[in-house]
């Protein structure tokens, strides 16, 4: 009879999950006995890095990625980026080793006492199978749940001695889960769109997950509707130099109300509008503005403070509304003003303009530079679908390893990891994985030598001084060299242009440390 390992490997091959992201431990080793030649083990030097690499890979391939962690300790290390994967709605099958069943009653070294409870609430489903023979079926179920909207991680704990036990074959199945939405509700919304005087679309990351880029353009142009990116949208959802694009909403009630005051109808698709970062009184929408929200996550619909809601795949719903709105006549909105040029001298605004000018066509940006995000949104526009990724959770340590996973998934395409110096240090060991994979990854570290985002928040809270924000003394070029990655440090515009051109032209990973005030 085939072993649990043989059956699992065959299942993973059928599901297209032949890359395993992990950091090996003793309780996982039997899975890799006679590891097949058509599989690849992607080594991360810490489990948070492992989890984020898999997250990026899953989002870029639109297929669940397999993560292999080491018992409770490895799961603990990975939890921060597991939280991010949950917020990103990244489909992952996360496995973790457990000690042998025969010694579990004695609380052995490196065992997990409550393995299925530990990763909650940041997984959709968790299981430690009752029998060794049930392991492949549990992994198959984890895959199908992870790939069911709303996507997300699932977790399976596997005792170390299960892999060599006899198992039962599992058939890989196809589960079609796209929800086109309730037609009566969509027709009601379409009628409101046709009668609206000045409608707007607010698009979240779900539009990118659902491949709704073209549908959003068609709908916006058919309705002559202004388009905004939802607060903290973790993906790019609309061409950011399109005449109808009106920029990025901030995560505050006052900004949402002020920016949307001119619109009598707002259609929110692919994520929440009311994702706030600081508390404030007042309304959630302008008094005379009606709203509808479309998303595949019932939780997002349930916590929306106002308006009607439709549970649906964003692309399908937007395409339906576009077809229903043909022939609408209303004035074309005024074209927004061009962004102001950056001031002279090195600054994050200047850096963004030079990246925009020099990046290769189709380059993918993976960002984690919170204090420079405003400059990026203004001066480094994303113009093609699936060309931008960031953390949906706000947790740091995601972007660098996620960029490695995305580069593995989209071989041959230029990936740019745009990082603050504080953010970069959370998962800097991902440079090792990038060097090992030899992917064309440009790591750009904007080094202002402090946690500038916290300094900005300190001013918001009225602090005259913020403790623990000084990062002076870090040498990123030395760190890159230690991980096998070529690097350059720049302090002037001339050095910046030369270093970016060099980095964007290399086939191996590179790092550019960009010194800004």
């Amino acid at each position: 009879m085939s072993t649990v390992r043989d059956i699992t490997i065959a299942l993973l091959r059928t599901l297209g999950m032949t890359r395993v992201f992990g950091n090996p431990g003793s309780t996982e080793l039997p899975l890799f006995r006679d590891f097949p030649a058509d599989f690849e083990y992607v080594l991360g030097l810490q489990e948070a890095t492992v989890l984020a690499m898999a997250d990026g890979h899953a989002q870029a391939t639109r297929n669940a990625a397999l993560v292999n962690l080491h018992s409770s300790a490895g799961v603990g290390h990975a939890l921060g980026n597991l939280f991010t994967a949950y917020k990103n709605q990244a489909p992952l099958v996360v496995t973790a080793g457990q000690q042998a069943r025969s010694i579990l009653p004695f609380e052995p070294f490196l065992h997990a006492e409550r393995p299925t409870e530990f990763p909650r609430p940041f997984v959709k489903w968790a299981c430690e199978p009752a029998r060794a023979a049930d392991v492949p079926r549990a992994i198959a179920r984890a895959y199908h749940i992870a790939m069911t909207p709303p996507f997300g991680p699932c977790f399976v704990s596997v005792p170390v001695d299960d892999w060599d036990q006899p198992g039962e074959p599992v058939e890989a199945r196809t589960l079609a889960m796209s929800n086109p939405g309730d037609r009566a509700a969509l027709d009601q919304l379409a009628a409101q769109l046709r009668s609206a005087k000045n409608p707007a679309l607010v698009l979240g990351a779900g539009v990118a997950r659902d491949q709704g880029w073209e549908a959003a353009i068609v709908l916006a142009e058919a309705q002559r509707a202004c388009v905004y990116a939802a607060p903290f949208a973790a993906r790019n959802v609309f061409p950011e130099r399109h005449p109808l694009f009106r920029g990025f909403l901030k995560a505050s009630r006052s900004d949402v109300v002020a920016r949307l005051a001119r619109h009598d109808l707002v259609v929110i698709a692919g994520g929440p509008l009311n994702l706030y970062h600081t508390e404030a009184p007042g309304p959630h929408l302008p008094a005379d503005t009606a709203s509808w929200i479309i998303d595949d996550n019932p939780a997002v619909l349930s916590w929306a403070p106002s308006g009607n809601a439709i549970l649906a795949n964003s692309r399908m719903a937007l395409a339906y509304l576009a077809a229903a709105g043909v022939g609408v006549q209303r004035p074309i909105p005024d074209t927004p003003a061009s962004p102001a040029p950056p001031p002279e001298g090195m600054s994050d605004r200047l850096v963004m303009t030079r990246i925009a000018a020099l990046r290769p066509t189709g380059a993918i940006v993976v960002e984690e530079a919170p204090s420079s995000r405003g400059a990026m949104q203004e001066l480094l526009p994303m113009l093609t679908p699936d060309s931008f990724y960031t953390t949906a959770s706000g947790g740091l340590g995601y972007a660098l390893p996620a960029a490695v996973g995305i580069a593995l998934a989209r071989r041959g395409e230029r990936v740019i990891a745009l990082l603050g110096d504080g953010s970069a240090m959370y998962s800097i060991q991902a440079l090792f994985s990038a060097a090992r994979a030899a992917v064309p990854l440009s790591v750009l570290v904007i080094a202002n030598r402090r946690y500038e985002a916290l300094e900005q928040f300190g001013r918001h809270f009225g602090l005259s001084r913020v403790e623990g924000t000084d990062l002076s003394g870090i040498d990123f070029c030395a760190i890159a060299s230690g991980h096998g990655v070529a690097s350059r440090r720049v302090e002037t515009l001339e050095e910046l242009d030369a270093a970016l051109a060099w980095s964007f032209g290399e086939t191996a990973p590179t790092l550019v440390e960009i010194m800004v005030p």
Side-chain angles (χ1 to χ4, degrees), residues 99-121:
Q99 267 291 7
R101 292 178 185 270
S102 63
I103 58 174
L104 284 178
F106 311 107
E107 297 201 10
F109 188 66
L110 286 175
H111 90 299
E113 182 179 357
R114 298 179 181 180
T116 61
E117 296 178 36
F118 193 20
R120 293 183 187 274

Side-chain angles (χ1 to χ4, degrees), residues 38-379:
D38 61 323
F39 276 61
E40 178 185 1
Y41 189 91
V42 181
L43 174 62
L45 299 186
Q46 206 262 11
E47 286 86 353
T49 294
V50 168
L51 205 294
M53 286 196 296
D55 177 329
H57 191 272
Q59 291 196 70
T61 60
R62 291 188 165 84
N63 189 35
L66 182 67
V67 182
N68 188 241
L69 303 177
H70 180 41
S71 192
S72 287
V75 175
H77 290 156
L79 275 181
N81 276 331
L82 184 64
F83 170 58
T84 293
Y86 184 74
K87 290 295 187 180
N88 284 346
Q89 294 186 29
L92 300 177
V93 176
V94 182
T95 63
Q98 170 68 292
Q99 267 291 7
R101 292 178 185 270
S102 63
I103 58 174
L104 284 178
F106 311 107
E107 297 201 10
F109 188 66
L110 286 175
H111 90 299
E113 182 179 357
R114 298 179 181 180
T116 61
E117 296 178 36
F118 193 20
R120 293 183 187 274
F122 306 136
V123 293
K124 294 179 65 179
W125 181 72
C127 173
E128 185 174 272
R131 305 179 304 156
D134 297 330
V135 168
R137 191 169 298 280
I139 291 174
R141 183 176 178 185
Y143 174 84
H144 291 306
I145 294 174
M147 291 293 292
T148 301
F151 299 151
C154 290
F155 178 85
V156 181
S157 171
V158 185
V160 64
D161 51 338
D162 282 5
W163 296 111
D164 293 313
Q165 299 301 311
E168 301 171 359
V170 176
E171 179 184 358
R173 300 177 296 144
T174 299
L175 276 67
M177 293 292 179
S178 293
N179 176 10
D182 181 81
R183 180 165 294 186
L186 287 168
D187 286 341
Q188 184 182 351
L189 171 54
Q192 281 192 246
L193 269 170
R194 286 192 297 270
S195 63
K197 294 181 178 179
N198 189 6
L201 304 180
V202 177
L203 306 180
V207 173
R209 285 193 300 272
D210 294 341
Q211 297 178 277
W213 178 275
E214 292 298 332
I217 295 172
V218 172
L219 176 59
E221 292 178 349
Q223 293 288 339
R224 297 182 175 181
C226 294
V227 179
Y228 302 84
F232 290 125
R235 301 279 296 276
N236 62 313
V237 293
F238 199 81
E240 293 169 13
R241 286 293 181 262
H242 191 284
L244 292 171
F245 187 64
R246 292 297 181 271
F248 301 81
L249 295 178
K250 296 179 181 178
S252 75
R253 291 192 189 188
S254 58
D255 182 78
V256 168
V257 170
R259 298 282 299 281
L260 300 181
R262 57 187 291 205
H263 302 290
D264 58 336
L265 175 64
V266 175
V267 179
I268 307 122
L273 171 62
N274 56 304
L275 186 63
Y276 304 133
H277 196 193
T278 54
E279 65 174 339
H284 299 277
L285 279 173
D288 298 323
T289 301
S291 68
W292 287 72
I293 181 168
I294 302 166
D295 200 82
D296 63 8
N297 188 346
V300 170
L301 304 184
S302 69
W303 74 57
S306 61
N308 298 312
I310 301 173
L311 183 68
N313 174 282
S314 296
R315 174 181 55 80
M316 292 181 172
L318 294 175
Y320 185 91
L321 293 171
V326 174
V328 170
Q329 297 294 322
R330 59 172 62 94
I332 298 174
D334 294 337
T335 302
S338 299
E344 294 184 3
M346 287 293 288
S347 66
D348 55 1
R349 287 176 57 80
L350 176 66
V351 171
M352 299 305 168
T353 61
R354 302 317 300 156
I355 296 172
L358 297 173
R359 62 180 165 174
T361 301
I364 302 157
V365 176
V366 189
E367 176 265 338
E368 197 172 286
S371 62
S372 298
R373 188 165 295 150
M376 178 197 71
Q377 291 174 340
E378 184 181 0
L379 298 165

Side-chain angles (χ1 to χ4, degrees), residues 422-514:
S423 300
M425 288 304 299
Y426 276 73
S427 295
I428 196 66
Q429 64 272 69
L431 291 173
F432 171 87
S433 302
R436 179 73 63 91
V439 288
L441 172 64
S442 297
V443 181
L444 309 182
V445 180
I446 301 176
N448 54 28
R449 296 171 291 284
R450 63 181 183 179
Y451 289 123
E452 175 59 25
L454 287 181
E455 293 283 343
Q456 295 173 6
F457 251 94
R459 292 190 285 274
H460 171 80
F461 289 118
L463 276 64
S464 59
R465 175 178 172 178
V466 181
E467 299 294 336
T469 61
D470 182 7
L471 299 178
S472 56
I474 300 174
D475 187 339
F476 282 95
C477 290
I479 293 171
S481 178
H483 287 86
V485 173
S487 64
R488 293 186 184 183
R489 178 181 290 112
V490 302
E491 299 185 14
T492 67
L493 173 59
E494 293 73 18
E495 292 173 342
L496 175 62
D497 280 6
L500 291 177
W502 161 74
S503 178
F504 294 159
E506 291 291 312
T507 58
T510 56
L511 181 145
V512 180
E513 183 177 11
I514 305 168

